[in-house]
Amino acid sequence: MNIEQQKQTAKKVLSKIKALDSRAIIAGGAARDWYFNNVANDIDIFYFHEEGKYCLDNIRRETAILKSLLGVESIKVLGFNSGGGNSYNNLPEDDFNNYLKNPNIVNVFECVIDEVKFQFIQLKKQNVNVSTFAYNMCQAWSDGERITTTKLFDLGVKKELLIETGELYSSTEKFKQKMIDKFPSYDYIKIGAM
C-alpha cells in the first residue's frame, strides 16, 4: 500500500468516526509520517463519545458501536483482551501502558481496515491538545484532508531537533528510544512540560 492509498483509507475511516465526534482527528505518528511522505505503521484516531468510562459496560457498548459504524467483525480492546478473541479478563498489554495512565484517555480500540491498522483513542473530553504530546515530532494532526503541525514541530524540522516537551505516562525510556531511532540525525533536547 502506498501513502496515498493509506491516506484515502484513513480519510474514509475518519469520516465514519466523525458520526460520533465531528472534531475527531488523526494525530501523532501517522500525520507525522505522512508529513515526511512515509507510510505510517498505524493510524491513531482521537475521538470523544459521550461520557466514556473505563468499565466493562462502556467497553462492550463502544465496541458494538465501532463494529457497526466501521463494518468490521472484530475490534480489539487494548488493555483487556490481550490474548485476542472476546475475553475481557486478560491483563493489559505492554503497548497499552502509555495510554492506560494518560488522564485524558478512556479506552483504546484497535482493528484492521483495508490492510491498515487503526487505533481509536476514546477521550474523556473533546478536542485532544496535540501541543501537549510528549515529543515535538508527534505534534501533527490531520482532518483527513490536510496535515497541520505545531510551531514546535516546525522548529524541530527546521533545526533538526527532537524535543521532549511534556509528560510520558509510562514506558518513557522505550518510547524515547523509539523517537531517537526515528530521528537519528536530530539533536535530542528535553525541556519538560511547557
Side-chain angles (χ1 to χ4, degrees):
M1 172 172 288
N2 66 39
I3 187 172
E4 287 308 315
Q5 291 169 321
Q6 188 180 60
K7 285 166 108 175
Q8 285 304 310
T9 298
K11 181 179 176 181
K12 177 182 73 174
V13 171
L14 179 63
S15 71
K16 292 179 180 182
I17 295 299
K18 284 185 179 254
L20 297 176
D21 177 8
S22 63
R23 299 176 185 177
I25 59 170
I26 297 163
R32 175 202 57 230
D33 291 344
W34 295 341
Y35 178 93
F36 290 108
N37 287 321
N38 296 318
V39 174
N41 290 332
D42 60 16
I43 297 169
D44 293 343
I45 295 180
F46 289 77
Y47 77 103
F48 170 82
H49 183 224
E50 301 176 355
E51 286 284 329
K53 303 228 182 326
Y54 187 70
C55 66
L56 192 54
D57 285 341
N58 176 69
I59 290 167
R60 286 181 176 148
R61 188 180 107 260
E62 201 69 20
T63 300
I65 290 169
L66 289 172
K67 282 181 181 179
S68 176
L69 193 64
L70 299 169
V72 296
E73 293 182 20
S74 174
I75 289 188
K76 191 175 186 180
V77 184
L78 298 189
F80 278 88
N81 55 350
S82 58
N86 293 321
S87 170
Y88 294 99
N89 298 320
N90 295 321
L91 297 173
E93 292 183 339
D94 289 343
D95 288 345
F96 186 65
N97 288 334
N98 282 323
Y99 296 124
L100 198 59
K101 295 183 180 179
N102 186 320
N104 302 312
I105 294 173
V106 182
N107 293 302
V108 179
F109 306 92
E110 182 178 275
C111 70
V112 174
I113 300 171
D114 296 340
E115 300 178 24
V116 178
K117 183 167 77 170
F118 285 88
Q119 291 185 344
F120 302 95
I121 301 163
Q122 184 184 16
L123 302 170
K124 290 185 179 177
K125 58 184 181 179
Q126 286 186 329
N127 297 337
V128 63
N129 185 354
V130 176
S131 67
T132 64
F133 285 14
Y135 287 93
N136 67 318
M137 300 313 295
C138 293
Q139 295 178 359
W141 69 97
S142 174
D143 61 2
E145 294 289 333
R146 63 191 171 279
I147 297 167
T148 306
T149 57
T150 65
K151 289 180 181 180
L152 212 49
F153 181 100
D154 297 339
L155 176 68
V157 172
K158 184 177 181 180
K159 301 288 187 179
E160 292 196 350
L161 296 173
L162 175 61
I163 305 169
E164 184 179 332
T165 62
E167 181 179 2
L168 282 169
Y169 298 99
S170 69
S171 302
T172 56
E173 287 305 313
K174 181 179 174 185
F175 191 69
K176 175 182 172 181
Q177 192 57 53
K178 178 181 173 183
M179 293 304 297
I180 289 170
D181 292 346
K182 194 168 266 298
F183 295 95
S185 67
Y186 283 37
D187 290 326
Y188 175 82
I189 300 171
K190 180 177 180 177
I191 61 173
M194 293 179 61

